[in-house]
Every structure is written in structure tokens, then in C-alpha cells.
């Protein structure tokens, strides 16, 4: 495949923390590497022999970074990875500073830290709920104003003619809202585009996505999703709440804002990736809870994405944040709606109550539900495939911000035009009875006392349309109306997802599935006209919504609980579970899930839960990166500066070795140190000579590393004089003396399991005498986590 990631990324800015160089620049394992045992030494830095890499011939067309002088990205071809993403340090660095601090802390100190974690989770829930409340109120106000103006205009021109003016007004209002949201995203913060769920998945997986949890990202996200939904796009506001909750959690847990340059001098202990990741998972769960009123579903969503680091107390804290988020949103919305204290409608999307007595299902309907699940998987695969090729087209031709805004405006105008045309030519008129409380019902060419049924689906916010499909009585929709709406909205939603606007895909998926699910219910009822009540269309609309959403996003456990909690009835738990499982199985046969597709298109080193089932014939020797740059335990400052400044290697982890004096034996592993640690040491000039020459030398503490977190300065900003280059630096106190290591013959599944379960960033490969021969990183494992045909290609390349 041609280079399609050269000019696009989730964020058009470079990684502020520097490009990762965890592995070799060529990350495709088309040939099995053959070991080379050469050992060279440049200065006092050890470089262990390099394994052969793949000859990509003419496929390499990567851009050169003019500042760093190294490739910015690797061309994408399903097995190549981007160099712009760093890994997160989820494993605690138990060096001497860390152990001394932990040993000095009293039992009361640990209790205070645990209380602080609960307090932070409570704050996360409150703030996430308030943000959800703000988004809901603003969307309701702006969308209500827009639909009211258009409705009055349509009613004015229906009899006298000139409905083209109403169409233009509708398109102009849509474009006005989308223009604001598009400009905010395309020009100010591109990472805020989309729902943000793929980015949060990557963060919990251990990948640092540039700017993903910034305050600026949150502001643009909130404004963008309000404008997108009010602009009439085929999007929802629920998905972005997960990203918003993650950003809130990342900011609150650190006790400061790097964007505002304000440090509140609190929660300093939690300024590391391990703790921050835990709180981001709580924020994501709080976002799910605020979006769907599903606290348990939010917990399970975070569990599906980061189960390896969970423990019992963390689970309770995440559940606590989810419950607080739901309560906060519910409480303030009840005040806004004039019913203070009424806490019966949690979540931004409320499916309404499904009474089991009126819409119960029978055992002979379960096969029908399973068939609907298969249909949802097929439609989901089609949706994802179309969106995949559309995304490739955007990457190649619509990568400039101005073009992205223009495309968003085009989609907004087309959405308005298509919606108006469908309503105009629809003759599905339904009686406007006393039970109808349509706020924006359009009469158009219907008789007095009737309303246009097509307008109920198009001329409304997506959440209201979903509820109408779930709960309207049989006969409220014409089968032709549902069929045309499903077809039209399917392609509109597919075209909309991936625009440079903040938008989610949950509600559009539910709306599409509810439409064709209700259509299935109507058709089934028509086969048995004597007792049509068994095929209640609302019941089949719910099953269709679950099938379509599962076929697109491929979530199972968490989505089952979310749907059950959102409906307020556990009766549908079994059919929803079966439908989601079958939708995932059928969809995975043809295409990956939508979020996985976008993660792959960005060439992110995302690790799945398990290594390929047939990969036991691969060992650590064949997947590790080499050469490995090693430092002596007492190293020359000039050598450290040169290695960190070398843009051709630019590694982030360095094994520390010790050489036995007066011995010809090779150096042996004694620890591991990170680039960020070395930069802090250079910044504070922790040199052996300076420590000896000063009577009172301030000892470096963990606080100095936490103050620099997470934006460690680049090595180019550290000034080291010529005299200082001749000094020595003792790494003993700061390195991790117990890094995880594996023998070179360890199987790939075992390496993968260790790496994924422990949240590692670097795994040292050593021989039988503890000499470093390689380093396994996230990208080394990600490139070997091959797809359906990947192992066959690798075996063919080997032969």
C-alpha cells in the first residue's frame, strides 16, 4: 500500500516529548532476523551486535523531520508502525530514591495517599458530570433554536411556495455551527477530532498519544461536539464524553495544569505514568457513565481496555467515580428541567423504560435475534470497510486544515439537503394524537391533525429519534420510511465519521440499527396478522440497535451492560449478549472494528491481549531490537550527551552494565535507566566531581523528577560545557537495579504475556551469562502481532 500516513496523524503537531526510538526504524519482520554476536565499543558506550532488518526497497518514502534530522513516520502497510508514538512507563522504577521514599513513609502516610485517591476519583466524577450537563443543555438550546426557526420557516412557505428558502436556511444554520466546530478542531487542536475513544484505548494500552489529555484538547472537544450535534451531523455527543472524562482525570490527578502553567502543589505523589493511567481509566468510566447512565458499564469499559493493571481497590475507585458522575449529571439536569431531586433519568441518552409485560420476548424469538446479530455484523463490516477507504482518501487528499473544514461544511450542507428532500417527498403521514409530544413535528403536506413521520427521524436530535423508534406504537412508521431512512442515514453516518469535528459514532449506530430493527419487527408482524403483538417493533428496534452498534465497534461485555443499564430492564440481557457476540464474530470475519481500523491507520503500536496463537516458533532473539546502547554504571557525561543527542538512535531506555576491573570478561547487566531520568540528571548536573567538590551538595529527590513530568525537556535544551563533558556521572542511585529480563530463547507468547500483563516498556534479553544482547519494546511486539494473513506472509518470506 502506498504511504498514506505521511501527512496525517491524530495530532498534526509533533510529539512534544520527542520521537520514540525504542526499536529499529524498520519495523516490519518480513525476514527472520539472524543473530550477529559482534560487540563494538564507541567511547565507553556498548553497542551489541545488530540483527538484520528488512529491505523495504522502494516502499520507503518517509518524511524527514527538519528539526530532528530523522524520519518522522514510517510508511504504512498494515505491519509498519509510526515513530512518533512513545510508550508509557507503567512499571514503577524501583531505584534507590523510590525505595528510600517508600520506606520513610509511615502507615498514616499511606492511608492519606489512599484517601487522596478516593478524593481525586470523586472530583473526576463531579467534573465529568458537570461537563456532560453543560454539553446536554447547550445542545438542547442550540438545536432547539435551530429547529424552531426552520419549522416556522417551513410552515410559512408550505402554502405560499418557496420551500427552497427553508432548505437554504437549514443548510446555512447547519454550516454555521459546523464551521465553528471544524475551525476549532482543524486549526487549534486536531487531536480533538472524532470521539476520542481510539486515543483513550491507546493510552490505557500503554501508548502516549501526543496532546491527548491536554486542557486545550478538552475545551476544543466540548465546543466541537456541541457544534457538531447542533449542526445536524449524523453524530452523537456520548462518545466524546469518554475522552473528556479521561482528560479531566489526567488533569485533576496531577494537581496542576501545564497548559495554564499553574501548579497547585497538591497530588505530587501521583505525577507518574502508573498513577496517572489509573485515574484516566476512572475518567473514561465516568464518561461512559455520564453518557449512558451506566456506571457498571463504564467500569467494564475500562476493564476491557486495561485489565492487566487492575486490582480490587482500583475497581472500587473507578466504580465510585462512575456513580458520582451519573449522580452529578442527574442532579443538575433535574434542577434544569424544573424537577429538583428527580433522579430517575441518568445519562445523556435515555432509552426510556422497556416494560417487560408489554414487550416480553419468547424462546422462539431467540433465533430471530441471532439472525439480526449476524445482519448487524455484516452491516457493521460494510460500514467499517467504507469508512476505511474513505479515511485513506482523506489522508491522501484532505490533509490540510482548510480542506478539512471545507469537507465538514460540505457534509453539513448535504445532510441538510438530503434530510429536507426525504421529508419533502415522504407521504408517510401519521395522526398527531394526544400521546404525541413531538416538539418539532412537521405537518408539511399532511392533513390537519397529522404530522410527517419522516420528519420525526430526520428533523430532530439523534437521541430523540432513537427514543421514538424504541417506544412509538406499532403503525407510527411506514416500512418504506424506515427503509429509506436506514439507507440514507447509513451512508451519511459513514461519511461523517472521520471528519475534522468532535463527534461520536454510538448514537448514529444505534439510530441506524433501531430503524432497520423496527422494520424487521414490522415485517415479522405482517406474516402473522392474527397476532402481531409478539413482534413488537420497539423490541426489535432495541435488538437491531445493539446489533448495529456491536457490528461497528465490536465491544461485547461492556456494551451488553451499557445497553441493559440504559434500557432499565435486565430482561433483555440474554438476547443483547447473544446479538453482540454474533455481531462481533460475523463482523470480525470480514473487517476489524472501527476503532481498531483507525488505530491501525495511524500506525500506533497497539498491543492486543494475546500473541498470535501460532507464534510459538518465534523467540525473543527474533523479535528483539538491536543494537542496544548500554551505559557503564559510572559513565562519562560527554558520552551520555552524545548518545542522547544522536538522532539516528534516539532510544528511550538504556541497559546499565558493569565491567569487572582487570578482567577480560564482557560487561554484565546491572540495571536500566530511561532517557527522561538522564535528562533530569544532566539538567541538575549530578556529576561525581561536583558532588565531591562541594561541602553541602543538595541530594536529588524524586520530587525533581516529578516536577519535570510529563514534559521532560529535550536534550537540545540542556547546556553542558566542555569541562562538564569530561566529568563522570554515577547512575547507581537512579537506575532501576532490577529490570525484567528474559533469556534469548524465550518464546514470543511468553514474552508477550510478560510485557502485556506487567505493563512493561522495555524487556531486556540476556544470554546465559547475563550479557545484554537485545531489548524487546512495544513496537517489536506490535509488528509481530500479525493479522489473518500475516503469519502466512511471514512464513513465505522465511522460505
Amino acid at each position: 500500500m502506498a504511504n498514506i500516513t505521511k501527512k496525517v496523524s491524530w495530532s498534526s503537531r509533533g510529539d512534544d516529548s520527542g520521537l520514540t526510538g525504542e526499536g529499529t526504524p524498520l519495523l516490519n519482520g518480513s525476514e527472520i532476523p539472524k543473530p550477529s554476536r559482534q560487540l563494538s565499543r564507541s567511547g565507553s558506550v556498548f553497542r551489541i551486535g545488530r540483527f538484520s532488518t528488512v529491505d523495504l526497497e522502494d516502499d520507503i518514502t518517509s518524511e524527514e523531520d527538519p528539526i530532528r534530522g530523522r524520519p518522522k513516520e514510517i510508511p504504512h502497510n498494515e505491519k509498519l508502525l509510526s515513530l512518533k508514538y512513545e510508550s508509557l512507563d507503567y512499571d514503577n522504577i524501583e531505584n534507590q530514591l523510590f525505595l528510600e521514599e517508600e520506606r520513610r513513609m509511615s502507615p498514616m502516610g499511606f492511608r492519606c495517599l489512599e484517601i487522596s485517591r478516593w478524593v481525586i476519583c470523586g472530583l473526576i466524577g463531579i467534573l465529568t458530570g458537570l461537563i456532560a450537563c453543560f454539553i446536554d443543555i447547550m445542545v438542547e438550546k442550540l438545536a432547539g433554536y435551530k429547529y424552531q426557526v426552520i419549522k416556522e420557516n417551513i410552515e410559512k412557505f408550505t402554502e405560499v411556495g418557496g420551500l427552497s428558502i427553508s432548505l437554504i436556511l437549514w443548510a446555512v444554520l447547519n454550516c454555521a455551527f459546523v464551521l465553528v466546530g471544524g475551525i476549532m478542531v482543524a486549526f487549534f487542536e486536531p487531536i480533538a477530532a472524532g470521539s476520542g475513544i481510539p486515543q483513550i484505548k491507546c493510552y490505557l494500552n500503554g501508548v502516549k498519544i501526543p496532546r491527548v489529555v491536554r486542557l486545550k484538547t478538552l475545551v476544543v472537544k466540548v465546543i466541537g461536539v456541541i457544534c457538531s450535534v447542533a449542526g445536524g451531523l449524523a453524530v452523537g455527543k456520548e462518545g466524546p464524553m469518554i475522552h473528556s472524562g479521561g482528560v479531566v482525570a489526567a488533569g485533576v490527578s496531577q494537581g496542576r495544569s501545564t497548559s495554564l502553567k499553574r501548579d497547585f502543589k497538591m497530588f505530587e505523589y501521583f505525577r507518574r505514568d502508573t498513577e496517572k493511567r489509573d485515574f484516566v481509566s476512572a475518567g473514561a468510566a465516568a464518561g461512559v457513565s455520564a453518557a449512558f447512565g451506566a456506571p457498571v458499564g463504564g467500569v467494564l469499559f475500562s476493564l476491557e481496555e486495561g485489565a492487566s493493571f487492575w486490582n480490587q481497590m482500583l475497581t472500587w475507585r473507578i466504580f465510585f467515580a462512575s456513580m458520582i458522575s451519573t449522580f452529578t449529571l442527574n442532579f443538575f439536569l433535574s434542577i434544569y428541567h424544573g424537577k429538583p431531586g428527580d433522579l430517575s433519568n441518568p445519562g445523556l441518552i435515555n432509552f426510556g423504560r422497556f416494560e417487560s409485560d408489554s414487550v416480553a420476548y419468547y424462546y422462539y424469538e431467540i433465533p430471530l435475534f441471532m439472525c439480526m446479530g449476524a445482519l448487524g455484523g455484516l452491516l457493521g463490516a460494510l460500514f467499517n470497510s467504507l469508512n476505511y477507504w474513505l479515511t485513506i482518501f482523506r489522508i491522501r487528499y484532505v490533509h490540510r486544515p482548510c480542506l478539512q473544514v471545507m469537507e465538514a461544511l460540505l457534509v453539513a450542507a448535504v445532510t441538510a439537503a438530503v434530510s429536507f428532500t426525504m421529508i419533502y417527498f415522504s407521504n408517510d403521514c401519521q395522526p398527531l394524537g394526544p400521546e404525541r409530544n413531538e416538539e418539532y413535528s412537521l405537518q408539511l403536506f399532511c392533513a390537519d391533525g397529522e404530522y410527517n413521520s419522516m420528519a420525526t427521524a430526520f428533523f430532530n436530535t439523534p437521541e430523540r429519534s432513537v427514543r421514538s423508534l424504541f417506544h412509538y406504537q406499532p403503525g407510527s412508521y411506514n416500512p418504506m420510511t424506515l427503509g429509506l431512512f436506514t439507507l440514507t442515514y447509513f451512508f451519511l453516518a459513514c461519511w461523517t465519521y472521520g471528519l475534522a469535528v468532535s463527534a461520536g459514532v454510538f448514537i448514529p449506530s444505534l439510530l441506524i440499527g433501531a430503524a432497520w430493527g423496527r422494520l424487521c419487527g414490522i415485517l415479522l408482524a405482517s406474516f402473522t396478522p392474527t397476532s402481531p403483538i409478539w413482534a413488537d417493533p420497539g423490541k426489535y428496534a432495541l435488538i437491531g440497535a445493539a446489533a448495529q452498534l456491536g457490528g461497528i465497534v465490536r465491544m461485547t461485555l461492556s456494551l451488553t451492560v451499557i445497553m441493559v443499564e440504559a434500557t432499565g430492564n435486565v430482561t433483555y440481557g440474554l438476547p443483547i449478549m447473544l446479538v453482540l457476540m454474533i455481531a462481533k464474530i460475523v463482523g470480525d470475519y470480514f473487517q476489524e472494528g472501527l476503532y481498531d481500523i483507525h488505530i491501525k491507520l495511524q500506525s500506533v503500536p497497539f498491543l492486543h491481549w494475546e500473541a498470535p496463537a501460532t507464534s510459538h516458533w518465534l523467540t525473543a532473539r527474533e523479535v528483539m531490537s538491536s543494537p542496544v546502547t548500554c551505559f557503564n554504571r559510572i559513565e562519562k557525561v560527554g558520552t551520555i550527551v552524545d548518545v542522547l543527542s544522536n538522532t539516528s538512535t534516539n532510544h528511550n531506555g538504556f541497559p546499565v552494565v558493569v565491567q569487572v576491573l582487570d578482567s577480560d570478561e564482557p560487561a554484565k547487566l546491572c540495571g536500566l535507566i530511561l532517557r527522561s531520568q538522564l535528562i533530569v540528571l544532566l539538567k541538575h548536573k549530578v556529576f561525581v566531581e561536583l558532588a565531591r567538590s562541594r561541602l553541602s551538595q543538595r541530594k536529588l529527590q524524586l520530587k525533581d523528577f516529578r516536577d519535570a513530568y510529563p514534559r521532560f525537556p529535550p536534550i537540545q535544551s540542556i547546556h553542558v560545557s566542555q569541562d562538564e563533558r569530561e566529568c563522570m556521572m554515577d547512575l547507581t542511585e537512579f537506575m532501576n537495579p532490577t529490570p525484567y529480563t528474559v533469556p534469548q530463547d524465550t518464546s514470543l507468547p511468553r514474552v508477550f504475556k510478560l510485557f502485556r500483563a506487567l505493563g512493561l516498556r522495555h524487556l531486556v534479553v540476556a544470554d546465559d551469562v547475563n550479557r545484554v544482547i537485545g531489548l524487546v519494546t512495544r513496537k517489536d511486539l506490535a509488528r509481530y502481532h500479525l493479522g489473518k494473513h500475516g503469519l502466512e506472509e511471514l512464513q513465505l518470506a522465511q522460505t
Side-chain angles (χ1 to χ4, degrees), residues 274-591:
T274 307
E275 298 284 351
K276 190 175 181 180
R277 181 266 316 272
D278 293 346
F279 292 118
V280 169
S281 64
V288 174
S289 181
F292 297 97
V296 179
V299 175
L300 293 176
F301 174 84
S302 294
L303 175 63
E304 280 188 303
E305 306 307 329
S308 63
F309 59 85
W310 276 47
N311 56 59
Q312 184 178 12
M313 291 307 298
L314 176 59
T315 306
W316 275 108
R317 289 197 300 270
I318 293 176
F319 183 61
F320 175 68
S322 299
M323 291 297 298
I324 293 295
S325 176
T326 300
F327 175 82
T328 302
L329 172 65
N330 208 352
F331 177 76
F332 283 99
L333 283 182
S334 68
I335 297 176
Y336 171 73
H337 292 299
K339 300 178 181 179
D342 182 10
L343 307 179
S344 58
N345 295 309
L348 296 181
I349 173 65
N350 180 20
F351 292 163
R353 292 285 177 178
F354 283 80
E355 301 297 336
S356 57
D357 294 336
S358 59
V359 288
Y361 68 93
Y362 304 92
Y363 67 92
Y364 52 80
E365 291 182 275
I366 292 180
L368 298 177
F369 295 155
M370 297 173 68
C371 293
M372 293 179 67
L375 178 59
L378 291 173
L379 292 177
L382 176 61
F383 184 98
N384 294 349
S385 297
L386 293 175
N387 191 264
Y388 172 80
W389 292 108
L390 183 59
T391 303
I392 291 178
F393 176 83
R394 286 183 176 131
I395 290 173
R396 287 176 174 169
Y397 303 110
V398 196
H399 51 267
R400 295 181 180 177
C402 58
L403 295 177
Q404 293 171 348
V405 174
M406 291 176 62
E407 185 193 14
L409 293 177
L410 175 63
V411 174
V414 170
T415 301
V418 170
S419 302
F420 185 87
T421 304
M422 297 289 288
I423 296 172
Y424 183 85
F425 289 103
S426 174
N427 58 0
D428 185 7
C429 297
Q430 301 294 335
L432 188 61
E435 73 279 2
R436 293 284 185 265
N437 55 355
E438 287 302 312
E439 192 170 352
Y440 312 116
S441 58
L442 289 178
Q443 181 180 352
L444 212 59
F445 301 116
C446 295
D448 292 339
E450 295 182 340
Y451 70 98
N452 189 301
S453 184
M454 183 70 80
T456 305
F458 272 114
F459 196 70
N460 224 327
T461 58
E463 289 82 3
R464 291 177 182 268
S465 299
V466 170
R467 284 198 296 270
S468 69
L469 290 169
F470 283 167
H471 297 290
Y472 274 14
Q473 296 298 319
S476 299
Y477 286 96
N478 189 298
M480 181 63 69
T481 299
L482 292 174
L484 291 175
F485 175 79
T486 300
L487 183 65
T488 304
Y489 208 80
F490 182 91
F491 289 104
L492 285 177
C494 184
W495 189 12
T496 303
Y497 190 81
L499 292 176
V501 295
S502 299
V505 76
F506 272 78
I507 295 302
S509 303
L510 290 173
L511 187 52
I512 296 169
W516 65 257
R518 189 178 181 96
L519 177 61
C520 290
I522 294 174
L523 295 177
L524 289 172
S526 65
F527 294 148
T528 55
T530 56
S531 75
I533 190 60
W534 70 275
D536 184 87
K539 171 176 56 180
Y540 281 84
L542 174 64
I543 299 300
Q548 185 65 56
L549 182 57
I552 291 177
V553 302
R554 310 290 165 76
M555 296 162 57
T556 52
L557 178 62
S558 61
L559 192 55
T560 300
V561 178
I562 288 172
M563 295 291 291
V564 170
E565 288 185 282
T567 57
N569 195 329
V570 75
T571 304
Y572 295 102
L574 176 62
I576 289 176
M577 180 189 70
L578 291 174
V579 162
L580 291 174
M581 289 177 58
I582 293 174
K584 176 176 171 58
I585 293 172
V586 173
D588 284 343
Y589 183 81
F590 296 98
Q591 182 63 277

Side-chain angles (χ1 to χ4, degrees), residues 171-183:
V172 168
L173 290 177
N174 273 14
C175 291
F177 286 118
V178 173
L179 178 64
V180 176
I183 290 176

Side-chain angles (χ1 to χ4, degrees), residues 633-648:
R633 189 168 58 184
I634 299 179
E635 190 59 85
K636 189 176 180 182
V637 172
T639 301
I640 296 177
V641 172
D642 291 340
V643 170
L644 297 183
S645 303
N646 187 353
T647 57
S648 64

Side-chain angles (χ1 to χ4, degrees), residues 653-672:
F654 305 93
V656 181
V657 297
V658 59
Q659 181 78 45
V660 180
L661 296 178
D662 300 329
S663 174
D664 294 333
E665 294 185 8
K668 297 184 178 181
L669 176 69
C670 66
L672 183 76

